[in-house]
Structures are given as structure tokens and as C-alpha cells.
């Protein structure tokens, strides 16, 4: 047998291959060279035949110049934090593509004068929530809270219920965010109960605003009481409602989830929310409220440090004005339709692997990602033995499901129907990898 070390092609020769050069033009030299080097190492180790080096290097290259990989979200969690929260709609993706070059984000093409940045997105947000006198958009929900704190509360008090001192995720806590910006917390009530009189007793000359935080990732049940925005609005200080999830209007399937429109109608001076949770758009912090307050926030020096990118503005506008985004579609999905999809996927798998241990089952999905905790969403899944979880997650098209009672459920609630055939192929591939 030939010594693989001697037969291994030279790096220069591989890089000079027209297909490899084309890949370099698309993905960059550094990335392509790294992949070629890895394949050449495998060739020297006898794992790849010299004749296959170019094909194998091309096969190993990512589809785009990013190490982020597209994943099939089969978790049944509609807004999955670790999978990037809301998937963008096709309309939003197209808007991002259009806006990615030079664009009139701050220019009035008719007059040639500077224009208000992101006018279209802001107008779309204002039109979606006519209850708001003014709207502004920053980088994320936390940035929205940071801006209002910086503008109103340094050295002053923010009055907040002890039941609403929320940790958002990854160790970040809203009370610590406020304190880090120079506000003093004035905690009222207890973990489970707070009354309007608790707030009234705490409000005074030192109060910057009362903050109402939606407990968006946990539920407290039993002997509990909180004070709604409408009651807080009777206090002689501004009320800021951090509604979290970004529902603009009340949603029939999520009766306990606050919306921007309802909070404003109830008298909140300002509502803050995320753009990439239930609104189903890009990461953004939405601020809606009294016109003069929003204008003051927009003009505050710190606002510049929280400014959103043109791509965000483009995606947000398309989310607000375009076809129903995937998150909104999942919230109203019909279990019968999901079950039919699951049966189809299971049938496709069985057609390729006749004795595959798969079946379609009814399942229960969740909103996830800081929204509607405790709400069950009717769904359906392809069920298979738990032992396939790793093979599916590490396959060519990574699939993330969830393990429930010893079974791996590949839930269709949060999966684009157009990806169903890819899900079936991924399951077939996982069965082939010999995990069985
Ligand atoms: C998610 C959330 C935040 C933080 O928003 P980001 O967009 O993640 O910065 C703040 N408050 C509440 C109530 C939330 O649910």
C-alpha cells in the first residue's frame, strides 16, 4: 500500500483548485485554508484518500462565513433563548438583505436632507400601538430599562415590588441593572403580596418612577396579590411598565401576558419590551409612551450608546408590517395540523428505514424565552428513543429536540413547515449513524 503521507497533495495544489479558489472568494482565505489543512491532516492519517481531498474540503466548508449554524428548533419552545429567540420572517430577512448596503436610513431622498433615523420602523411601531404618544427603539429590553433609568433616576428612587425583582437570564438581574446606573431601589411589599398602599407609602420627593416588571419567566401561585398598572397610575409619579415579551396587543391564547396597548390604556407613562420575544422580530428594545417622555429619552446622551443598527430597523419594520412572523403563527397553531405534519415526517422516516422506532404523538409546547410562563401550547411531535438526541444535535443539519419521560420528542410547533423534509432526513441520518 502507498504511504498516505507521500501521496497527500500539496497545500498549494489544493488551494489552486478552481472550486477551492471560488470558495475562498466567497468565504475568505483564512477559513478555507483552515478547512483544507484539516482535511490534509486527515489524508496524512489515512482517513481521506488523496483523490478525495478537494471534495472533502469543499464538503466540510460552512454555507456562509459564520461559525453560527442554522439549527432545526424541534424543542417545542417557540422563543428559545439558546437558539436565538425569535426566528425572523422571510419578509424580515429580505428587508435585512435590502438594507445591508448603502440605504436611506437617515436621509430624505426627496429633499437630500438628513432624516430621522429609522423613520419607517418607528412609524410602523406607532401605527401598531396608537395608544402610544411616542415610540423609540434601542438595542434590547435591558437597554430600554437602562435608558429610562439613566434619564430619570440617577441618585433617585425607583419603587418596585419585592415580587418583581427579576433575574432575566445568564445571571443578569433587573434590580442590579438599575442600581448599576445610579438609581436607588425602594422595594415594597413581600415576595408574594404587595398592595397599592405599600407603593403609596413609599412614593415621595425622592421617587423617579414606579417600575412594574412582568414576571415573564416564572409564576408565583397561591396566596398572592400584585397591583395592576391601572391602580399604580393613580399615584402622583410616572409609572414604567416593563412588559418583557413585547406583545403589542392582548393575545387570546395568552390571557395573563401584558400588552403594550393595554398597559398604556391603563395609564402607564412608558412601556418597555423586547423585540425578539413574542413580537417575533429582531433583537430590539421597544419604548412606547407619553410623547414628551419618549422624546426626552430619545434626546438623552446615553441614547446614542444604545442606538439600533439599520438591519434591526429594517427587520423590525418588516415584522410589524409584513406577513405573520413565525412566532405569531406558532402561537395560534392548530394541533390537528401539527399532528398531520408529525405523521408525515414519521411516514417519511419509515419509508427510508422500515423498522425505525418513530411515531407521531400529541405534545405540549411552551412560549419560552421570557413570556407566558406556565402556558401550555397544544402541539405534536415525532417521538423516538432518547439515545438519538446526540446524533441529531451533531448531525449535518443539527436538530434540537427535547427529552420527555425517556423519549426524544421532535416537536413541530416551532419548526418552519418548509423544514419538515429536512427534519425527516436528519432523523434518517441519525438512525444510520449506528446509535441504535
Ligand atoms: C426579557 C426581559 C427583559 C430583558 O430584555 P432583553 O431584550 O433580553 O434585554 C427585561 N424584562 C423582562 C420582564 C423580560 O422578560
Amino acid at each position: 500500500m502507498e504511504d498516505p503521507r507521500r501521496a497527500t497533495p500539496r497545500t498549494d495544489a489544493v488551494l489552486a483548485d478552481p472550486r477551492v479558489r471560488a470558495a475562498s472568494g466567497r468565504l475568505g482565505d483564512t477559513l478555507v485554508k483552515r478547512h483544507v489543512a484539516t482535511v490534509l491532516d486527515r489524508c496524512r492519517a489515512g482517513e481521506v484518500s488523496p483523490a478525495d481531498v478537494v471534495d472533502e474540503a469543499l464538503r466540510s466548508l460552512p454555507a456562509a462565513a459564520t461559525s453560527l449554524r442554522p439549527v432545526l428548533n424541534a424543542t417545542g419552545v417557540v422563543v428559545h433563548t439558546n437558539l436565538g429567540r425569535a426566528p425572523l420572517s422571510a419578509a424580515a430577512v429580505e428587508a435585512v438583505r435590502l438594507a445591508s448596503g448603502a440605504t436611506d436610513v437617515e436621509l430624505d431622498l426627496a429633499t437630500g436632507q438628513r432624516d430621522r433615523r429609522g423613520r419607517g420602523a418607528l412609524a410602523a411601531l406607532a401605527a401598531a400601538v396608537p395608544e402610544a404618544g411616542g415610540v423609540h427603539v434601542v438595542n434590547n429590553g435591558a437597554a430600554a430599562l437602562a435608558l429610562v433609568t439613566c434619564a430619570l433616576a440617577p441618585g433617585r428612587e425607583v419603587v418596585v415590588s419585592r415580587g418583581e425583582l427579576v433575574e432575566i437570564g445568564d445571571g443578569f438581574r433587573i434590580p442590579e441593572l438599575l442600581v448599576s446606573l445610579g438609581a436607588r431601589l425602594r422595594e415594597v411589599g413581600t415576595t408574594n403580596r404587595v398592595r397599592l398602599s405599600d407603593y403609596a407609602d413609599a412614593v415621595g420627593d425622592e421617587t423617579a418612577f414606579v417600575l412594574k416588571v412582568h414576571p415573564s419567566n416564572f409564576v408565583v401561585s397561591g396566596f398572592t396579590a400584585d397591583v395592576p398598572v391601572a391602580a399604580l397610575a393613580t399615584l402622583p409619579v410616572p409609572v414604567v411598565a416593563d412588559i418583557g415579551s413585547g406583545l403589542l396587543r392582548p393575545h387570546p391564547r395568552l390571557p395573563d401576558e401584558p400588552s403594550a396597548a393595554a398597559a398604556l390604556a391603563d395609564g402607564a407613562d412608558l412601556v418597555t419590551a423586547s423585540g425578539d420575544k413574542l413580537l417575533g422580530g429582531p433583537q430590539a428594545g421597544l419604548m412606547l409612551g407619553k410623547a414628551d417622555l419618549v422624546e426626552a429619552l430619545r434626546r438623552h446622551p446615553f441614547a446614542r450608546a444604545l442606538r439600533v443598527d439599520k438591519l434591526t430597523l429594517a427587520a423590525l419594520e418588516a415584522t410589524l408590517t409584513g406577513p405573520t412572523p413565525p412566532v405569531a403563527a406558532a402561537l395560534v397553531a392548530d394541533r390537528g395540523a401539527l399532528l398531520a405534519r408529525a405523521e408525515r415526517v414519521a411516514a417519511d422516516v419509515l419509508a427510508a428505514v422500515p423498522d425505525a422506532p418513530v411515531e407521531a404523538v400529541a405534545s405540549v409546547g411552551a412560549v419560552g424565552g421570557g413570556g407566558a410562563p406556565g402556558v401550555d401550547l397544544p402541539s405534536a411531535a415525532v417521538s423516538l428513543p432518547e439515545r438519538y438526541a446526540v446524533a441529531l444535535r451533531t448531525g449535518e443539519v443539527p436538530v434540537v429536540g427535547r427529552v420527555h419521560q425517556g423519549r426524544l420528542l421532535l416537536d413541530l410547533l416551532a419548526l418552519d413547515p418548509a423544514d419538515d423534509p429536512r427534519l425527516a432526513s436528519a432523523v434518517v441520518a441519525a438512525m444510520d449513524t449506528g446509535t441504535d
Side-chain angles (χ1 to χ4, degrees):
M1 256 188 49
E2 203 175 1
D3 178 359
R5 290 178 158 278
R6 281 168 175 262
T8 298
R10 288 167 44 101
T11 306
D12 305 359
V14 178
L15 292 175
D17 182 285
R19 289 179 299 158
V20 174
R21 281 181 35 202
S24 287
R26 216 161 41 78
L27 300 172
D29 282 344
T30 314
L31 192 151
V32 171
K33 277 184 185 157
R34 200 172 66 227
H35 281 258
V36 166
T38 305
V39 174
L40 288 174
D41 283 345
R42 291 174 52 209
C43 183
R44 279 177 213 108
E47 294 167 22
V48 174
S49 92
D52 292 342
V53 163
V54 167
D55 282 344
E56 183 61 20
L58 291 170
R59 206 196 53 74
S60 77
L61 288 171
T66 169
S67 59
L68 293 176
R69 307 208 23 216
V71 169
L72 299 187
N73 176 5
T75 60
V77 177
V78 176
V79 179
H80 198 296
T81 301
N82 304 137
L83 298 179
R85 290 198 183 158
L88 292 181
S89 66
V93 172
E94 181 62 8
V96 166
R97 205 187 57 74
L98 276 180
S100 61
T103 181
D104 60 344
V105 65
E106 275 185 39
L107 184 72
D108 182 336
L109 292 172
T111 64
Q113 303 294 309
R114 181 181 193 136
D115 195 5
R116 175 145 175 203
R117 184 179 173 86
R119 183 176 290 285
L122 295 170
L125 183 57
V129 188
E131 291 84 351
V135 299
H136 184 54
V137 179
V138 291
N139 254 320
N140 58 18
L145 272 176
L147 180 54
V148 63
T149 303
C150 261
L152 302 185
R156 306 187 69 206
E157 288 183 355
V158 174
V159 179
V160 59
S161 163
R162 290 196 170 86
E164 298 176 5
L165 300 174
V166 175
E167 176 165 317
I168 318 169
D170 196 22
F172 289 102
R173 296 167 170 172
I174 288 174
E176 292 175 358
L177 170 71
L178 304 186
V179 169
S180 76
L181 294 162
R184 280 180 286 128
L185 283 192
R186 182 73 184 263
E187 301 173 11
V188 296
T190 60
T191 308
N192 57 328
R193 288 177 76 85
V194 64
R195 298 182 191 84
L196 181 60
S197 59
D198 295 321
Y199 286 96
D201 289 348
V203 162
D205 291 346
E206 292 294 298
T207 308
F209 56 87
V210 168
L211 178 63
K212 171 96 182 149
V213 183
H214 177 50
S216 59
N217 52 11
F218 66 102
V219 263
V220 180
S221 64
F223 185 53
T224 64
D226 70 340
V227 182
V229 168
L232 295 176
T234 64
L235 298 167
V237 292
V239 175
V240 175
D242 173 17
I243 63 168
S245 75
L247 268 193
L248 298 184
R249 316 211 69 83
H251 194 285
R253 270 204 187 164
L254 310 174
D256 298 328
E257 196 63 14
S259 71
L264 291 169
D266 285 347
D269 294 81
L270 185 77
V271 169
T272 65
S274 301
D276 55 348
K277 294 179 180 171
L278 291 179
L279 181 64
Q283 178 185 303
L286 314 179
M287 310 183 78
L288 308 97
K290 300 248 156 76
D292 52 349
L293 174 56
V294 173
E295 185 58 17
L297 295 171
R298 192 175 78 80
R299 301 304 321 167
H300 190 279
F302 190 43
R304 184 64 171 78
L306 309 173
R307 188 175 91 161
V308 279
D309 176 47
K310 62 185 174 178
L311 304 181
T312 302
L313 291 165
L316 180 61
E317 183 176 358
T319 301
L320 288 163
T321 62
T324 307
V327 167
L331 290 181
V332 296
D334 168 64
R335 179 175 270 155
L338 294 169
L339 201 50
R341 285 172 55 196
E343 278 160 3
R344 177 70 201 269
V345 172
D348 286 353
V349 174
L350 286 166
V353 186
D355 54 352
V358 298
E359 60 174 336
V361 296
S363 69
V364 176
V367 171
V375 171
D376 290 342
L377 296 173
S379 187
V382 176
S383 167
L384 59 166
E386 189 182 334
R387 63 179 181 277
Y388 292 108
V390 175
L392 278 161
R393 220 173 46 237
T394 55
E396 192 155 316
V397 178
V399 177
V400 182
R402 77 171 183 280
V403 172
H404 178 70
Q405 295 180 344
R407 298 286 291 179
L408 176 65
L409 297 186
L410 303 179
D411 199 302
L412 295 177
L413 183 65
L415 192 76
D416 183 343
D419 282 332
D420 287 1
R422 298 171 75 213
L423 179 66
S425 307
V427 174
V428 170
M431 307 247 144
D432 286 348
T433 56
T435 337
D436 210 351

